[in-house]
Amino acid sequence: MLSDIERREIENELAHYPDKRAACVEALKVVQQHRSWVSDESLRDVAALLGMTPDELDGVATFYNLIFRKPVGRHVILVCNSVSCWLTGYDRVRGRLEERLGVRFGQTTSDGRFTLLPIVCLGACDHAPVMMIDRDTHGNLTPDGVEEILKKYT
Ligand code: FES
């Protein structure tokens, strides 16, 4: 069930949109900020609040890969796999991340510290290859540099 705070924050978002349904991504973000992911139960509650069916809202949620429909680790690593990053070392960076963390894309480390996910262009192509951890963008990545960066996230 949505908390009072979640409900209030979603209702604040609704005030900015002419149609409740148009606020659906923002509403999902509210839930995710509080719970780190969006469970089926939360999704049903948000859908009811917005006058949508759970299936409609789930379609939106799964379209946006920054809405997490499964539990994630304490830190989410998003590795850009678009063209500029692809051309400048994405493969080596991804390989080192997978090797060090012991997970593949879509998986969470056994200690719950990191979830590793691909993402399309992060808009920082001039610093390719790029990844984002939580809200921090890291560019000009090298395999060794990635290891140093990981140490900052406990
Ligand atoms: Fe990776 Fe744009 S292609 S940030």
Side-chain angles (χ1 to χ4, degrees), residues 80 82 84-85 121-125 130:
C80 174
S82 292
S84 296
C85 291
C121 182
L122 286 162
C125 314
V130 178

Side-chain angles (χ1 to χ4, degrees), residues 73-117:
R74 289 195 300 285
H75 306 290
V76 176
I77 305 174
L78 300 163
V79 186
C80 174
N81 61 4
S82 292
V83 66
S84 296
C85 291
W86 186 268
L87 291 171
T88 53
Y90 156 84
D91 262 347
R92 286 180 292 121
V93 166
R94 174 188 175 172
R96 183 66 67 89
L97 284 166
E98 289 180 337
E99 178 192 320
R100 280 292 171 252
L101 300 176
V103 295
R104 312 290 302 251
F105 275 157
Q107 297 179 333
T108 298
T109 55
S110 56
D111 61 0
R113 187 171 159 215
F114 290 110
T115 296
L116 187 62
L117 295 169

Side-chain angles (χ1 to χ4, degrees), residues 9-126:
E9 288 180 12
I10 290 171
E11 283 165 355
N12 284 343
E13 288 298 333
L14 297 183
H16 298 114
Y17 293 87
D19 178 337
K20 288 200 284 190
R21 299 160 61 99
C24 61
V25 173
E26 295 307 316
L28 291 167
K29 284 185 191 171
V30 166
V31 171
Q32 187 162 289
Q33 275 164 14
H34 287 277
R35 301 170 188 243
S36 81
W37 67 293
V38 180
S39 68
D40 289 345
E41 184 194 11
S42 297
L43 184 122
R44 275 195 300 273
D45 291 345
V46 173
L49 201 58
L50 301 180
M52 298 173 75
T53 68
D55 281 349
E56 285 174 325
L57 187 57
D58 192 35
V60 174
T62 50
F63 179 77
Y64 286 93
N65 53 4
L66 291 180
I67 300 294
F68 307 132
R69 291 285 284 122
K70 292 195 308 192
V72 292
R74 289 195 300 285
H75 306 290
V76 176
I77 305 174
L78 300 163
V79 186
C80 174
N81 61 4
S82 292
V83 66
S84 296
C85 291
W86 186 268
L87 291 171
T88 53
Y90 156 84
D91 262 347
R92 286 180 292 121
V93 166
R94 174 188 175 172
R96 183 66 67 89
L97 284 166
E98 289 180 337
E99 178 192 320
R100 280 292 171 252
L101 300 176
V103 295
R104 312 290 302 251
F105 275 157
Q107 297 179 333
T108 298
T109 55
S110 56
D111 61 0
R113 187 171 159 215
F114 290 110
T115 296
L116 187 62
L117 295 169
I119 193 162
V120 294
C121 182
L122 286 162
C125 314
D126 50 335

